[in-house]
Amino acid sequence: MPGDLDTQYPDAQSSLGLALWRATNAWQKHIRAALAPHDLTHVQYVLLASLTWMDRTEPVSQRHLAQHAELDVMMTSQVLRTLEAKGYIRREPHPDDRRAIALHPTPRGIELANMATQDVESADTAYFGALTPAQRELFLPALQRLASNPHE
């Protein structure tokens, strides 16, 4: 017998939002387990891996890294302080902007980013292995479209 919720869905399994919520939580559980041996949170990993991956021929600012990772600038700053305290990144005055901070992964941070990436990618492969190749071909572009322009 249904409760008192006024919803357009006949049952919970009909809600795309709830399905995405459940799938995201299940996936994040796998990612947390993959990152636990590296003593990294998911956000710490995303920022460290992004900084390691980015082209650093020009200084990378906190704002640029936050935009690249699609994270809040203030949260990025807080997480970067933690990564700096752990010895994984260096924060220095930006050579071209007195107000900005330039970011550099340390050799230890680069090594950690690469080890953690192997484990994260293995976790992704295992988790998304439940999808057929045809489903994966549809799934990725659909998620990318929703992430880039959800109202079209």
Side-chain angles (χ1 to χ4, degrees):
M1 170 182 237
D4 295 327
L5 184 63
D6 184 15
T7 176
Q8 65 181 340
Y9 300 109
D11 53 54
Q13 287 66 35
S14 301
S15 169
L16 283 173
L18 182 58
L20 180 60
W21 171 260
R22 289 175 172 169
T24 300
N25 282 333
W27 172 74
Q28 286 179 348
K29 180 180 177 183
H30 286 271
I31 298 301
R32 279 192 302 274
L35 290 171
H38 304 289
D39 190 31
L40 288 173
T41 67
H42 199 170
V43 174
Q44 289 171 351
Y45 166 73
V46 167
L47 289 172
L48 181 59
S50 293
L51 179 60
T52 302
W53 180 82
M54 291 172 76
D55 178 7
R56 294 185 309 277
T57 54
E58 297 289 324
V60 176
S61 69
Q62 290 182 172
R63 182 171 302 283
H64 186 203
L65 179 60
Q67 288 170 341
H68 173 82
E70 297 188 18
L71 293 170
D72 176 75
V73 175
M74 291 304 294
M75 180 179 61
T76 296
S77 178
Q78 292 171 345
V79 173
L80 290 173
R81 289 179 197 280
T82 300
L83 291 173
E84 182 180 37
K86 290 181 173 187
Y88 301 141
I89 68 161
R90 286 187 340 270
R91 295 169 5 121
E92 300 174 347
H94 196 285
D96 302 324
D97 183 348
R98 291 187 335 210
R99 299 167 295 155
I101 300 291
L103 305 170
H104 309 277
T106 64
R108 189 170 152 214
I110 291 170
E111 181 181 3
L112 179 62
N114 282 294
M115 289 187 310
T117 295
Q118 289 177 5
D119 291 342
V120 165
E121 289 178 355
S122 291
D124 274 353
T125 298
Y127 183 79
F128 293 109
L131 299 174
T132 67
Q135 288 171 325
R136 284 192 296 271
E137 268 186 48
L138 292 173
F139 190 60
L140 184 58
L143 286 178
Q144 289 169 334
R145 180 171 178 236
L146 288 172
S148 66
N149 204 348
H151 301 300
E152 279 192 6

